[in-house]
Amino acid sequence: MFVIGLTGSIAMGKTTTAKLFAEEGVPVHDADATVHRLYEGEASGPIEAAVSGSTRDGRVDRVALGKQVVGDPPALRRLEAIVHPLVRNAETRFLKDAERAGAKVAVLDIPLLSRPAATGGSMPRWWCRAPEAMQRTRALERGVSLEQLEALLTRQMHPMRKSRRRADFVVDSGQGIEYARTQVRQILAAVAKMPRRKK
């Protein structure tokens, strides 16, 4: 099975691109959705112990958690040390299930490929991009404050540059969904001709 990583910064069209892959019959693992599930249960206790006051009624309060970790690198590292291994475990289960089901290609939809994924970090990378002004507009429309956006982009600056340099393909989400759909289909056609990479 050919495993590819799909990444990009906030509001760059990654979620929409992942849906386009799914519409082409490719199984897609959504790391953000996995984190949401973890926040609802398994990860809430450890996160509260690491970042006090970040949960409510046994669930992680994302707003409260965000306020505590933004601008606090040690708190963010404690959070990542809890969440990243759990997400990697979920990715491993997903890939095993997809391979057993006979999938030829699978996608790991990951916020930024700055951490090892279940494949050991050797998978081809797809980077989603959009004009900066469009990115900011999309993010603000989602309810992200300007302060939160600036803090996130500052924190992601190094991983973003690293991921862009290592990208095998770039999906431009700034020219409409049909243009992005065409790119996804072209990528899948190219993948069919690419040699598998060792894990």
Side-chain angles (χ1 to χ4, degrees):
M1 185 174 68
F2 201 101
V3 182
I4 59 181
L6 175 66
T7 192
S9 183
I10 184 173
M12 282 291 193
K14 180 173 60 65
T15 299
T16 297
T17 302
K19 290 179 181 177
L20 293 175
F21 275 108
E23 288 175 7
E24 296 298 317
V26 178
V28 176
H29 181 269
D30 185 339
D32 285 337
T34 298
V35 171
H36 276 282
R37 290 194 296 272
L38 292 170
Y39 280 7
E40 293 289 312
E42 183 180 356
S44 61
I47 289 175
E48 175 63 28
V51 187
S52 180
S54 60
T55 65
R56 182 181 301 172
D57 299 326
R59 300 176 179 180
V60 172
D61 183 329
R62 298 176 71 90
V63 174
L65 178 64
K67 288 180 179 178
Q68 294 210 53
V69 300
V70 169
D72 187 344
L76 182 61
R77 285 194 293 271
R78 292 197 300 272
L79 175 64
E80 291 175 341
I82 295 166
V83 175
H84 285 182
L86 295 174
V87 173
R88 283 196 294 272
N89 289 340
E91 289 170 350
T92 298
R93 292 193 297 271
F94 162 81
L95 292 176
K96 287 181 178 178
D97 289 345
E99 193 157 29
R100 278 197 293 266
K104 300 298 184 184
V105 180
V107 170
L108 296 181
D109 174 0
I110 306 171
L112 269 178
L113 286 166
S114 57
R115 60 171 177 80
T119 59
S122 62
M123 59 191 161
R125 290 153 165 81
W126 273 252
W127 174 265
C128 293
R129 73 178 179 195
E132 184 177 337
M134 184 178 289
Q135 178 191 27
R136 290 178 179 274
T137 299
R138 288 173 175 173
L140 295 174
E141 287 176 348
R142 294 179 189 178
V144 178
S145 71
L146 188 58
E147 179 184 9
Q148 290 172 325
L149 178 61
E150 293 293 347
L152 179 62
L153 293 178
T154 298
R155 178 166 59 87
Q156 289 184 342
M157 188 174 299
H158 176 67
M160 281 193 294
R161 288 174 178 170
K162 184 177 180 181
S163 289
R164 281 198 299 264
R165 286 198 303 269
R166 298 167 71 180
D168 296 278
F169 293 93
V170 175
V171 177
D172 186 346
S173 71
Q175 299 189 50
I177 191 164
E178 291 307 319
Y179 184 80
R181 191 189 310 277
T182 298
Q183 292 176 91
V184 165
R185 289 173 176 169
Q186 290 172 342
I187 287 168
L188 290 174
V191 164
K193 301 175 183 178
M194 290 175 68
R196 295 181 183 180
R197 296 188 181 185
K198 294 181 179 180
K199 297 181 182 180

